[in-house]
Amino acid sequence: PSLYRHLRGKEGRRHRARPREDRSPMSADEQAAVLHQLRKEVNAQAQRELLTKMTEKCFAKCVSTKGTHLERSEQMCLGQCIDRYVDCMNAVNQALVQRQQSRT
């Protein structure tokens, strides 16, 4: 059967999720696993966004000519710009960890 029919069911009705109270509650281990997976996905997305932002900003700052290769000065500028971004992110992460530890 087509995906549409599968989703609609034999009688043409849409399958609906049961209300939360009809489902068995998640165990603590299941909740922890879901939370862990969610954190991994959020971190991965944050890393992708950081890489994109870093690339855009450093490229705009350092690359002045269009072409098939980078000049030596552009390469050095990009390397330094990326190093500054990484250093800054490490400092921010360390401050956040310290703040979180001081609250607990």
Side-chain angles (χ1 to χ4, degrees):
S2 72
L3 178 59
Y4 177 76
R5 281 191 182 168
H6 176 73
L7 293 174
R8 301 286 292 184
K10 292 180 183 177
E11 298 85 27
R13 290 179 281 137
R14 290 181 59 89
H15 287 286
R16 296 182 188 206
R18 294 181 297 169
R20 184 73 206 156
E21 61 271 5
D22 289 349
R23 298 181 190 166
S24 60
M26 288 178 145
S27 70
D29 287 342
E30 291 171 325
Q31 289 176 3
V34 169
L35 185 58
H36 177 72
Q37 182 62 31
L38 180 61
R39 285 181 178 153
K40 281 176 49 177
E41 291 175 19
V42 168
N43 286 336
Q45 179 63 30
Q47 289 176 355
R48 284 189 295 272
E49 289 175 8
L50 174 64
L51 182 61
T52 299
K53 186 181 289 187
M54 180 178 59
T55 302
E56 289 172 353
K57 289 188 180 278
C58 290
F59 194 84
K61 178 182 188 285
C62 297
V63 179
S64 57
T65 60
K66 293 183 180 180
T68 58
H69 69 282
L70 296 172
E71 299 295 327
R72 178 79 176 137
S73 60
E74 293 171 330
Q75 292 176 13
M76 290 177 64
C77 180
L78 284 169
Q80 291 172 351
C81 182
I82 290 168
D83 286 346
R84 281 194 299 272
Y85 245 92
V86 170
D87 289 345
C88 181
M89 287 307 302
N90 286 337
V92 169
N93 284 337
Q94 187 176 28
L96 289 173
V97 166
Q98 288 174 351
R99 179 182 288 176
Q100 187 175 13
Q101 289 174 346
S102 68
R103 289 183 180 175
T104 57

